[in-house]
Amino acid sequence: MSTKLEENIEETIEEKPEEKPSLQVPAFGYELIRSVLLPELLGSQERNILYWAGRNLARKFPLMSMEEVISFFHEAGWGNLEIIETTKKEMTLELSSPMISERFQNHVNPVFGLEAGFIAEQVQLQKKWITETFETIKRKNKVVFTVQWDRKDQTDE
């Protein structure tokens, strides 16, 4: 059973770029929730809870390709996701945007667990292998995600 919000998000994702409504959320409002309220509510478990929330979100919005994942990140306002390298056992992605640069300037240890969990679950759904994602801060304006999977450890799906 879909909620109205999920239906609206699905409609927005399916629309062609020239048909998308120009709805925008102020960055201040988004960051207020993301970087001030959530850390207070979630405490020391913030990264873990956001990681599993990201995985859950990915199950609600399964995407068929990494190109769709990249597009979803852009549409969600999460930033510009780029595949840097892919090998047999892992994939490296880089996330950047002006808002992420701003998050680094305003917060000592910004958390990207939501994005990491979302990527992990999307890759797992696409490859059918158990997958985990780890984020590292390489520079003060970009996040690097390392997605790892075990080709011997298939999912039940």
Side-chain angles (χ1 to χ4, degrees), residues 35-102:
S35 298
V36 178
L37 182 61
L38 282 178
E40 266 187 47
L41 292 173
L42 303 177
S44 64
Q45 293 300 311
E46 177 188 11
R47 194 261 177 212
N48 293 334
I49 292 170
L50 289 177
Y51 183 84
W52 290 106
R55 289 191 82 116
N56 187 49
L57 190 61
R59 286 190 289 275
K60 291 180 188 266
F61 298 96
L63 303 169
M64 299 297 115
S65 69
M66 286 309 294
E67 289 77 20
E68 288 184 17
V69 173
I70 290 167
S71 179
F72 186 96
F73 265 68
H74 179 74
E75 292 299 316
W78 290 355
N80 304 312
L81 188 65
E82 180 183 355
I83 299 171
I84 303 301
E85 182 181 14
T86 304
T87 67
K88 290 181 182 181
K89 295 182 180 183
E90 70 179 36
M91 179 186 312
T92 305
L93 301 108
E94 188 174 84
L95 181 65
S96 62
S97 77
M99 197 156 70
I100 289 173
S101 295
E102 190 79 19

Side-chain angles (χ1 to χ4, degrees), residues 4-144:
K4 186 68 174 167
L5 175 62
E6 289 173 341
E7 290 172 10
N8 287 342
I9 292 172
E10 287 175 15
E11 288 173 10
T12 301
I13 292 171
E14 291 172 2
E15 292 174 358
K16 294 179 183 171
E18 63 272 7
E19 297 174 0
K20 290 184 183 167
S22 62
L23 298 175
Q24 295 184 9
V25 175
F28 175 73
Y30 177 81
E31 283 300 309
L32 189 63
I33 292 169
R34 179 71 189 260
S35 298
V36 178
L37 182 61
L38 282 178
E40 266 187 47
L41 292 173
L42 303 177
S44 64
Q45 293 300 311
E46 177 188 11
R47 194 261 177 212
N48 293 334
I49 292 170
L50 289 177
Y51 183 84
W52 290 106
R55 289 191 82 116
N56 187 49
L57 190 61
R59 286 190 289 275
K60 291 180 188 266
F61 298 96
L63 303 169
M64 299 297 115
S65 69
M66 286 309 294
E67 289 77 20
E68 288 184 17
V69 173
I70 290 167
S71 179
F72 186 96
F73 265 68
H74 179 74
E75 292 299 316
W78 290 355
N80 304 312
L81 188 65
E82 180 183 355
I83 299 171
I84 303 301
E85 182 181 14
T86 304
T87 67
K88 290 181 182 181
K89 295 182 180 183
E90 70 179 36
M91 179 186 312
T92 305
L93 301 108
E94 188 174 84
L95 181 65
S96 62
S97 77
M99 197 156 70
I100 289 173
S101 295
E102 190 79 19
R103 192 179 302 167
F104 279 115
Q105 290 176 2
N106 295 327
H107 304 284
V108 178
N109 294 312
V111 173
F112 296 91
L114 182 73
E115 296 87 343
F118 188 85
I119 292 168
E121 190 67 23
Q122 290 295 350
V123 173
Q124 182 168 306
L125 291 169
Q126 291 171 20
K127 293 192 174 288
K128 309 286 190 230
W129 297 317
I130 301 297
T131 304
E132 294 294 330
T133 299
F134 306 94
E135 71 270 20
T136 53
I137 310 306
K138 294 288 183 178
R139 300 179 210 157
K140 288 296 183 184
N141 61 353
K142 294 183 181 183
V143 183
V144 175

